[in-house]
Amino acid sequence: PDGSCETITMGLDYNKGQKFVHVIPAGTWQAGEMIPGGKFSIYGCTMAPGFDSEKFEAALADELAKQYPSYKDVIYRLSVNGDTTYMPKDFND
């Protein structure tokens, strides 16, 4: 909400500042990618309260890039949804 961007490195090496778990507050966009040279990753997202596809909204890269131009490169690198911003109605079925 304040326009800031934070990079978190997930992993088991706490001495290098890696985190096994990280909480992302409500109202915050998130995205993830494997670090360069990585061979595999397991990524999960747990939501509380529970996930409701009707309340889910994905960001559009062009809109985010206009709102946060200093992060344009990372926004386009991590965007995967094209022009879809909501889950299909039958997603939870």
Side-chain angles (χ1 to χ4, degrees):
D2 66 1
S4 63
C5 181
E6 181 178 11
T7 299
I8 304 297
T9 302
M10 306 295 289
L12 298 177
D13 195 339
Y14 300 107
N15 293 326
K16 290 185 179 179
Q18 296 178 355
K19 295 182 175 186
F20 183 69
V21 174
H22 183 73
V23 176
I24 300 169
T28 304
W29 296 113
Q30 67 167 334
E33 65 183 338
M34 191 166 22
I35 60 172
K39 295 182 180 176
F40 69 92
S41 62
I42 299 172
Y43 178 83
C45 180
T46 303
M47 298 179 191
F51 180 77
D52 180 349
S53 64
E54 291 192 21
K55 294 180 180 171
F56 173 85
E57 181 183 5
L60 293 176
D62 290 339
E63 291 178 16
L64 276 182
K66 286 178 189 171
Q67 191 172 2
Y68 306 106
S70 60
Y71 303 117
K72 178 175 67 172
D73 291 342
V74 72
I75 289 168
Y76 284 115
R77 187 178 77 243
L78 298 177
S79 296
V80 296
N81 63 312
D83 62 359
T84 303
T85 57
Y86 293 95
M87 293 279 182
K89 292 287 183 202
D90 61 354
F91 181 81
N92 286 331
D93 294 343

